């Protein structure tokens, strides 16, 4: 083929090319967002001498969000450059988590002050919607942003909101205005037992004795004798996990699940704000048992005071020589309920979106960075320390209604004294309400949620069922995290179930169609004047059978139990 002087076939028109020479013909830079030197310098200054490790992406996004109040496109581009990641990787992580505000070019950044109003069941019962409406109408939206938010783990003081990082309990518009006027937007540290105080009362003696020549299998047997089971919701026998992880060659890790996001649950926060070192000693005993090379402590971002307590007390452990510097890596969640699922939490620890993994393989075989990983809940580790210090009888000596052990019940809703109550594991809803001072004045028990939204609603007529592992499954429910929310005759079971499904709709990670679409369709069907029960049951079956993780599998429980026990409402 004959070519002319410009390299094109003779007789052909010149081709439009990206890099063609000539005025106005070409592009001066590659496609995509361009790196801005000023933004790059700001990101470098924030990151300092921290290693640019891929798994620290979420931590670095927090640094930028905390400093500037949002994540601008320029800063995301600079962070991608600094970490040698694609812009897509950085953006998909930043946009996945609720606590990151991604601002594109041309968009207005959010106001300097944000109010997050909890709208989960306990707070909704206490008037959260009216509170949110009053704040939206009474505040300048250019100065203060008002958002709805899922459970903040303070259900005992509902309604609750977060002003900056200051949680306002029993919130009212007047309290909020006073706090804004005073610039009161920071968290407060509660009084808690420090490392020095804990050690003075025999703390860490059990850990040191085990390190000097203890047998992990003997400790594992103690846990089994005590009857300790996972207290994050699944209820798997805690001691057996150690053997599963040990069966795989190292390096091994311990990942602590502190993402207490199940609405109605606040037991972990309650313990950590009072006796953090019982938990920390239990954590180090579990790490010793599986010979963990490192501990990843994943704590939800909704607990800023707890995060500060842990930072201080981990530093105290390092100072006391109980752990090597950096052995415990405290990681901060970013507002994603799905990260309470163990494999999604591990994805988040690795700096990714919190998408649950397909199993097998299980995390005991392939966990953090592909290595065998032991996963324990905060309260589970609290009890591991107590069992090692006081013996298995600290749990198994208590018996009620044929059940052994103790349970930490987070109790909220229509009771006189909401709070965390440590009661025998065989306690019924009648026992739990009695411990909480009885029903609130003017209220009569109508229904109750025994273990978070995933457990659905049970009627007052079922007031003799022990709220423990294995006792609720025959009734289509389960104990989960023992988050008990009490409803009265003033409340609608139908509205409560809709509140729960809206939560699942918001918090679905979107990875699998049965959960992502199923929750959305369920909410639409539940908003109708009359429920199409046949269609809702078909939808529930599809979600239970085909969802990847427990979120989609348990989300239909509120639907099914309301249809079963409260048919007159639907």
């Amino acid at each position: 083929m004959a070519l002319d002087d410009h390299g094109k076939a003779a007789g052909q028109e010149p081709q439009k090319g990206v890099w063609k020479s000539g005025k106005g013909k070409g592009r001066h830079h590659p496609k995509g967002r361009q790196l801005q030197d000023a933004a790059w310098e700001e990101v470098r200054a924030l990151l300092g001498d921290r290693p640019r490790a891929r798994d620290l992406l979420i931590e670095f996004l927090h640094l930028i969000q905390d400093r500037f109040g949002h994540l601008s496109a320029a800063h995301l581009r600079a962070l991608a450059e600094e970490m040698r990641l694609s812009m897509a990787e950085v953006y998909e992580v930043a946009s996945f988590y609720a606590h990151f505000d991604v601002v594109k070019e041309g968009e207005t950044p959010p106001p300097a002050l944000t109010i997050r109003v909890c709208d989960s069941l306990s707070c909704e019962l206490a008037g959260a919607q009216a509170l949110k409406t009053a704040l939206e109408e009474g505040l300048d939206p250019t100065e203060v942003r008002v958002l709805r938010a899922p459970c903040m783990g303070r259900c005992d003081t509902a309604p609750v909101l977060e002003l900056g990082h200051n949680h306002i309990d029993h919130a009212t518009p007047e309290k909020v205005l006073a706090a804004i006027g005073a610039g009161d937007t920071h968290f407060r540290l509660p009084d808690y037992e420090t490392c020095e105080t804990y050690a003075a009362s025999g703390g860490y003696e059990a850990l040191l004795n085990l390190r000097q020549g203890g047998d992990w299998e003997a400790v594992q047997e103690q846990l089994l004798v005590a009857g300790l089971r996972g207290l994050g919701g699944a209820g798997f026998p805690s001691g057996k996990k150690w053997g599963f992880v040990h069966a795989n060659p190292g390096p091994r890790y311990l990942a602590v699940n502190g993402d207490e996001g199940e609405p109605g649950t606040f037991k972990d926060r309650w313990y950590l704000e009072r006796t953090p070192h019982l938990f920390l000693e239990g954590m180090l005993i579990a790490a010793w048992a599986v010979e963990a090379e490192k501990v990843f402590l994943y704590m939800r971002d909704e607990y800023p005071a707890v995060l500060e307590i842990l930072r201080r007390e981990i530093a105290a452990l390092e100072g006391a020589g109980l752990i090597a510097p950096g052995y415990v890596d405290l990681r901060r969640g970013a507002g994603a309920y799905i990260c309470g699922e163990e494999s999604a939490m591990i994805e988040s620890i690795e700096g990714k979106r919190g998408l649950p993994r397909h199993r097998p393989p299980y995390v005991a075989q392939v966990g953090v960075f592909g290595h065998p990983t032991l996963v324990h809940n905060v309260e589970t580790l609290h009890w591991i320390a107590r069992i090692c210090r006081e013996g298995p009888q600290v749990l198994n000596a208590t018996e009620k209604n044929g059940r052994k052990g103790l349970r930490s019940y987070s109790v909220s809703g229509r009771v006189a004294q909401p709070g965390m109550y440590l009661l025998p594991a065989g306690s019924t809803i009648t026992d739990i309400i009695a411990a909480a001072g009885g029903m609130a004045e003017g209220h009569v028990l109508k229904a109750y949620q025994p273990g978070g939204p995933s457990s659905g609603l049970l009627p007052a007529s079922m007031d003799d069922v022990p709220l423990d592992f294995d006792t609720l499954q025959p009734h289509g429910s389960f104990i989960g995290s023992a988050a008990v929310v009490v409803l009265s005759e003033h409340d609608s079971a139908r509205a409560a179930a809709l509140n729960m499904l809206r939560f699942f709709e918001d918090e679905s990670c979107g990875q699998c169609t049965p959960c992502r679409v199923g929750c959305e369709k369920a909410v639409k069907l539940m908003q109708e004047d009359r429920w199409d029960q046949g269609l809702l049951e078909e939808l529930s079956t599809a979600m239970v059978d085909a969802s990847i993780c427990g979120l989609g599998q348990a989300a239909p429980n509120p639907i099914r139990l309301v249809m079963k026990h409260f048919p007159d409402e639907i």
Side-chain angles (χ1 to χ4, degrees):
M1 180 183 292
L3 301 178
D4 64 10
D5 293 340
H6 297 288
K8 68 178 181 64
Q12 288 185 357
E13 289 298 316
Q15 299 297 305
K16 293 180 179 179
V18 173
W19 301 110
K20 286 189 70 64
S21 60
K23 186 175 181 181
K25 295 284 188 178
R27 185 179 293 119
H28 296 290
H29 50 71
K31 286 185 178 181
R33 288 188 173 92
Q34 300 309 298
L35 181 63
Q36 297 179 15
D37 289 341
W40 196 9
E41 284 304 315
E42 288 171 339
V43 168
R44 281 176 162 173
L46 277 176
L47 269 54
D49 58 358
R50 296 175 178 87
R52 279 27 173 189
R54 172 66 179 79
D55 60 290
L56 294 177
L57 174 57
I58 294 172
E59 297 297 308
F60 294 163
L61 289 170
H62 273 303
L63 291 175
I64 299 172
Q65 174 81 31
D66 290 346
R67 172 64 180 82
F68 298 101
H70 63 280
L71 302 174
S72 69
H75 284 133
L76 291 178
R77 174 66 183 87
L79 183 61
E81 181 73 20
E82 188 65 14
M83 296 188 71
R84 299 294 188 264
L85 297 174
S86 70
M87 184 68 189
E89 283 182 273
V90 175
Y91 179 80
E92 72 175 9
V93 173
S95 58
F96 181 85
Y97 296 93
H99 290 187
F100 294 139
D101 295 304
V102 177
V103 177
K104 299 178 183 178
E105 294 93 345
E107 292 183 346
T108 303
L113 192 55
T114 294
I115 295 175
R116 300 179 189 272
V117 182
C118 176
D119 70 351
S120 291
L121 184 56
S122 299
C123 285
E124 185 166 280
L125 294 176
Q129 293 301 334
L131 173 64
K132 180 173 180 286
T133 300
L135 292 171
E136 288 171 333
E137 293 175 351
L139 294 170
D140 183 351
T142 63
E143 299 290 334
V144 183
R145 178 176 57 159
V146 180
L147 303 176
R148 58 157 296 280
C151 186
M152 299 176 184
R154 308 184 77 86
C155 320
D156 52 333
T157 56
V160 171
L161 59 79
E162 188 180 31
L163 176 65
H165 287 300
N166 175 22
H167 285 101
I168 298 181
D169 300 325
H170 303 296
T172 63
E174 293 75 21
K175 283 186 177 181
V176 173
L177 291 173
I180 292 174
D184 190 6
T185 60
H186 302 289
F187 65 85
R188 292 178 177 82
L189 275 183
D191 291 330
Y192 66 90
E193 187 178 38
T194 64
C195 183
E196 184 178 356
T197 305
Y198 181 72
S201 62
Y204 293 107
E205 287 181 6
L207 171 68
L208 294 173
N209 290 336
L210 290 171
R211 284 178 172 177
Q212 289 172 5
D215 179 358
W216 71 267
E217 289 179 300
V219 180
Q220 177 180 246
E221 185 59 30
Q222 275 193 312
L223 303 185
L224 293 171
V225 170
L228 182 64
R229 295 172 66 169
L231 296 169
F236 190 82
S238 301
K240 288 186 177 180
K241 283 187 176 184
W242 295 4
F244 293 154
V245 175
H246 249 292
N248 297 286
R252 307 183 190 96
Y253 296 116
L254 168 63
V256 180
N257 191 340
D259 198 70
E260 185 179 46
E262 190 77 10
T265 313
F266 49 91
K267 59 184 178 62
D268 291 353
R269 176 186 63 81
W270 195 92
Y271 284 121
L272 289 171
E273 288 184 346
R274 290 160 177 79
T275 56
H277 284 278
L278 267 173
F279 152 70
L280 289 169
E281 182 170 16
M283 177 187 78
L284 295 178
I285 288 171
W288 159 83
V290 297
E291 300 172 15
E293 293 203 2
K294 193 178 185 72
V295 175
F296 293 94
L297 175 45
Y298 190 89
M299 184 55 56
R300 69 187 310 223
D301 197 34
E302 289 84 348
Y303 290 171
V306 169
L307 280 161
E308 181 59 26
I309 289 170
L310 292 173
R311 288 187 195 102
R312 294 184 180 194
E313 298 311 306
I314 289 168
L317 291 176
E318 292 174 350
L322 286 166
I323 56 173
Y327 179 70
V328 177
D329 191 343
L330 179 61
R331 294 298 179 90
R332 180 179 165 192
Y337 165 74
I338 192 62
C339 291
E341 196 277 337
E342 61 179 11
S343 65
M345 175 191 68
I346 287 173
E347 289 287 299
S348 192
I349 288 171
E350 293 179 355
K352 305 172 189 173
R353 293 175 295 167
L355 301 181
R357 297 176 179 176
H358 290 269
R359 291 173 288 186
Y362 296 93
V363 299
Q365 302 164 295
V366 181
V368 181
F369 307 133
H371 296 296
T373 302
L374 174 67
V375 176
H376 273 318
N377 163 263
V378 167
E379 192 198 353
T380 305
L381 295 167
H382 171 97
W383 285 108
I384 286 174
R386 289 200 60 181
I387 291 166
C388 289
R389 291 185 65 175
E390 304 170 48
Q393 62 272 15
V394 70
L395 280 181
N396 65 20
T398 302
E399 187 170 352
K400 186 180 180 69
N401 291 330
R403 312 296 301 177
K404 288 187 176 182
L406 296 167
R407 291 306 304 260
S408 302
Y409 295 101
S410 305
V411 187
S412 61
R414 307 298 192 182
V415 293
Q417 299 167 13
M420 204 289 290
Y421 293 94
L422 184 62
L423 301 172
S427 298
T428 64
I429 189 62
T430 303
D431 300 321
I432 291 167
I433 291 172
M439 294 293 293
E441 186 176 352
H443 292 270
V444 177
L445 176 65
K446 172 182 179 176
Y448 63 98
Q449 173 186 285
S454 304
S455 67
L457 281 175
L458 297 177
S461 58
M462 294 177 61
D463 61 359
D464 58 349
V465 180
L467 300 194
D468 193 19
F469 296 119
D470 311 321
T471 58
L472 292 164
Q473 280 84 338
H475 305 289
S477 183
F478 55 89
I479 187 62
S481 57
V484 180
V485 181
V486 178
L487 276 65
S488 78
E489 295 293 345
H490 294 283
D491 305 314
S492 162
R494 169 198 177 112
L498 181 57
N499 175 281
M500 298 175 197
L501 264 294
R502 280 177 171 150
F503 169 77
F504 290 132
E505 179 188 19
D506 286 342
E507 296 298 329
S508 172
C509 74
Q511 179 179 193
C512 68
T513 303
C515 177
R516 180 186 68 250
V517 178
C519 289
E520 178 206 352
K521 299 303 180 189
V523 167
K524 285 187 169 68
L525 290 169
M526 294 166 74
Q527 289 174 326
E528 297 294 326
D529 292 336
R530 292 179 64 86
W531 285 13
D532 186 333
Q533 296 189 54
L535 188 54
L536 278 167
E537 179 56 37
E538 279 188 58
L539 182 62
S540 297
T541 300
M543 292 173 68
V544 171
D545 290 347
S547 295
I548 289 173
C549 81
L551 191 157
Q553 293 163 11
N557 285 342
I559 303 171
R560 286 175 158 170
L561 290 173
V562 167
M563 290 194 298
K564 180 178 179 180
H565 298 296
F566 305 94
D568 55 311
E569 291 196 21
I570 59 173

